[in-house]
Amino acid sequence: MTGAPGPAASLPPRPEDGPPHRATTTFGSLRIRNYRLFAAGQAVSHTGTWMQRIAQDWLVVELTGSPAAVGFTIGLQYAPMLLLGLHGGLIADRLPMRRLLLHTQAALGTTGLVLAVLVLSGQVRPWHVYVMAAVLGLVSVADAPARQAFVSELVGPGQLRNAVSLNSAVFQTARLVGPAVAGLVITVVGIGWAFLLNAVSYLAPLVALLLMRPAEMHPAERAPHGSGQVRATLRQVRRDPGLLWPIVLVAFVGTFGFNFPVWLTTFTVQVFRTGSGVYGLLNSLLAAGAVAGALWAARSLAPPRRVLTTAALLFGALETAAALAPALWLFAALLVPVGMAGLVVTATANAHVQLTADAATRGRVMSLFKIAFVGGTPVAAPAVGWITETWGPRAGFLTGGLTSLAAAGVVGCALSRPAAEPEPDPPTGTASGTVPERGTGTELGTGTKRDGDADPAAQT
């Protein structure tokens, strides 16, 4: 893998990739052995990760009795991505991703193991949890963009959109299963065992990475060492509407439209006057919709730009309708299509950005995508919470829906305009560390144009 020259698009298609067919489109990328291993490993580790998230919050509450301490712990976990995310993407671009993931996945599993030992030995203190949360966040700075960009090396451009959607389905399924398993484990044997199971779950992706066949991968050209490479990526995104506008849309939708922990809690307690059972049901309906959305996105052959803007408009409209729903049954029913539309937006934008970005800068671009999705949350979540507290839950939810709807309209108009021919960048390896020049429109090796809309069948 590390010694293969040239970008992934220069490799000839393998027979196993095959042309897409409607009957097999939904799970088409699973025909590729390396991706099957990767997806199976991620399914297990994501379930363990969700278990650790629940156990971590519960442990902090037990140790401190302070909800603010829970928020502080979450902040420690996400702050490194916001501050160092682009540099983590540069690491992913420079190093062989399979080798990098072997180290990051092992380190993530180690955080669970350390907490398990501390809890089971009775030695755990709040500062231990804070330190492990910060370490987990630091490791994720390189792990998150590498995991996303590595999918392209496993399946190639022809199956990337499908594989990204299936990754989302795996994550959302783990989101349903992980907390339920964590609750059972914590109740029956204690918090320490939940951390231990998470640590053990990371054996699955490590074994999967070791069993992969490097000869069947689509390795991208590694980024050279040089100065100014992060700035060059920002310039690339700013000049290319196919990168800029999907990232802008995800930033607004993620910042204002995904504040479900605030909204579902307040609707459960203040609007519908019910308890934790209903709250759990609402979260499950939202996650079930997200799984359905991921599977639909994996099957869709429609042009990604059209899917992206249509799904974003639907997401904003459905959130607006849910905010005004007069009855619990209607509110609950609307959460399923809300979850579905929201997942279609994020999965389609993810795949479209990966297909549009240069292979040598994909890690940095995906870091920027991740920052856009979660970066505004520390600012917007308190603002949305203040609106919810001051004017009520419906006003807060309505703000998120209308903001997402407006952003979808603006981005849809921007993407519908003909793209200007971008200025070419200097070749890779210059002193400024800029990104390589794009090809003539078929650089993905699938016959697709740069906007990813010319031949949808080749992308799914």
Side-chain angles (χ1 to χ4, degrees):
M1 171 181 170
T2 59
S10 65
L11 296 178
R14 300 190 308 276
E16 66 179 354
D17 292 335
H21 297 286
R22 172 62 70 179
T24 59
T25 298
T26 303
F27 302 102
S29 54
L30 291 177
R31 291 178 294 169
I32 301 171
R33 178 183 180 275
N34 284 341
Y35 179 71
R36 284 198 305 273
L37 290 168
F38 178 79
Q42 292 302 301
V44 176
S45 67
H46 280 324
T47 301
T49 298
W50 277 104
M51 292 177 63
Q52 175 149 327
R53 288 186 184 183
I54 300 300
Q56 176 181 277
D57 293 349
W58 196 266
L59 178 62
V60 171
V61 170
E62 281 195 350
L63 292 174
T64 67
S66 170
V70 177
F72 177 68
T73 306
I74 294 173
L76 287 172
Q77 193 166 320
Y78 282 98
M81 176 60 71
L82 304 183
L83 298 174
L84 305 170
L86 280 170
H87 296 280
L90 181 58
I91 293 173
D93 285 332
R94 284 180 175 173
L95 300 179
M97 288 190 189
R98 180 164 168 256
R99 186 191 307 167
L100 175 61
L101 286 172
L102 282 168
H103 288 87
T104 58
Q105 295 284 289
L108 291 173
T110 302
T111 65
L113 181 61
V114 170
L115 285 172
V117 171
L118 288 170
V119 173
L120 292 174
S121 65
Q123 301 300 313
V124 68
R125 298 293 182 269
W127 71 268
H128 294 142
V129 186
Y130 301 152
V131 169
M132 286 298 102
V135 170
L136 192 150
L138 285 170
V139 176
S140 296
V141 165
D143 180 79
R147 270 191 297 108
Q148 294 192 61
F150 188 53
V151 174
S152 178
E153 296 196 1
L154 295 176
V155 302
Q159 291 284 357
L160 179 59
R161 186 175 167 190
N162 175 264
V164 168
S165 298
L166 290 183
N167 279 354
S168 299
V170 167
F171 180 82
Q172 294 298 332
T173 302
R175 180 185 170 190
L176 284 170
V177 176
V181 175
L184 180 63
V185 171
I186 291 171
T187 301
V188 176
V189 292
I191 295 177
W193 292 97
F195 288 118
L196 183 59
L197 286 175
N198 176 53
V200 173
S201 75
Y202 277 95
L203 291 175
L206 291 173
V207 171
L209 288 166
L210 292 172
L211 290 177
M212 289 177 184
R213 298 169 182 166
E216 297 177 4
M217 293 181 184
H218 303 249
E221 182 179 2
R222 305 328 308 165
H225 289 272
S227 61
Q229 291 179 313
V230 169
R231 293 191 300 273
T233 302
L234 293 174
R235 288 195 299 269
Q236 177 196 8
V237 171
R238 186 179 68 247
R239 288 200 303 261
D240 192 334
L243 291 174
L244 175 64
W245 290 113
I247 290 176
V248 168
L249 179 59
V250 165
F252 275 92
V253 170
T255 298
F256 295 98
F258 273 72
N259 291 287
F260 295 112
V262 176
W263 295 328
L264 296 188
T265 302
T266 53
F267 265 78
T268 299
V269 177
Q270 298 179 21
V271 177
F272 300 119
R273 310 286 182 181
T274 55
S276 59
V278 170
Y279 176 70
L281 173 64
L282 296 179
N283 276 283
S284 296
L285 290 172
L286 190 68
V291 172
L295 294 176
W296 183 90
R299 186 176 180 81
S300 173
L301 298 179
R305 289 190 178 187
R306 187 188 308 161
V307 172
L308 180 61
T309 54
T310 302
L313 288 168
L314 282 173
F315 178 75
L318 287 165
E319 281 204 338
T320 301
L324 302 174
L328 174 59
W329 68 267
L330 181 58
F331 180 80
L334 285 170
L335 288 181
V336 175
V338 165
M340 182 175 181
L343 196 285
V344 171
V345 171
T346 56
T348 304
N350 185 313
H352 181 60
V353 166
Q354 288 204 53
L355 284 167
T356 306
D358 293 301
T361 65
R362 190 171 287 131
R364 278 162 282 171
V365 172
M366 294 315 298
S367 290
L368 188 60
F369 182 92
K370 181 76 171 180
I371 293 170
F373 187 67
V374 303
T377 301
V379 176
V384 171
W386 177 79
I387 292 172
T388 301
E389 184 174 345
T390 305
W391 285 290
R394 293 191 187 277
F397 206 172
L398 193 62
T399 300
L402 292 176
T403 303
S404 299
L405 195 60
V410 171
V411 171
C413 291
L415 287 175
S416 66
R417 292 200 298 259
E421 190 67 26
E423 300 176 8
D425 288 321
T428 302
T430 61
S432 63
T434 51
V435 298
E437 182 178 355
R438 290 185 189 276
T440 60
T442 57
E443 67 272 17
L444 296 177
T446 61
T448 55
K449 292 183 180 179
R450 285 182 50 203
D451 63 5
D453 289 352
D455 184 7
Q459 298 177 28
T460 49

